[in-house]
Amino acid sequence: MEAITLAGLLASVYLFNLPFGYWRANIEKLTKEWMVAVHLPVPVIVALRIVYGVDIVLIPLFVLAFFLGQFSGGRMR
């Protein structure tokens, strides 16, 4: 996988999670709505990883981008 493609995918994961982190920040923790805000983006990210053939060893980078997007979105609130 090219570095540019990987960087673009990681940026996409980060940006995709910003609104979900923003939403999650104003919800009581561990409620159904909170769980949806955290887990709804996961299938999209997995689909991106599969479509672009990202190797399994790079999954930690995607997890990091996911959590950074959620965190940053929450801090925007």
Side-chain angles (χ1 to χ4, degrees):
M1 166 161 275
E2 292 182 28
I4 294 172
T5 305
L6 178 60
L9 286 173
L10 292 173
S12 297
V13 169
Y14 174 80
L15 293 172
F16 186 69
N17 273 286
L18 286 175
F20 291 100
Y22 184 83
W23 176 32
R24 178 192 49 81
N26 201 33
I27 302 171
E28 185 180 341
K29 197 171 190 178
L30 299 178
T31 61
K32 288 180 186 178
E33 195 175 9
W34 185 87
M35 292 292 212
V36 170
V38 171
H39 293 98
L40 189 63
V42 172
V44 175
I45 294 165
V46 170
L48 275 175
R49 191 183 64 76
I50 291 170
V51 167
Y52 285 95
V54 176
D55 192 17
I56 197 165
V57 299
L58 297 175
I59 290 176
L61 293 176
F62 281 79
V63 171
L64 179 64
F66 176 89
F67 284 115
L68 285 174
Q70 286 276 330
F71 178 76
S72 298
R75 296 293 290 177
M76 287 179 184
R77 175 118 12 220

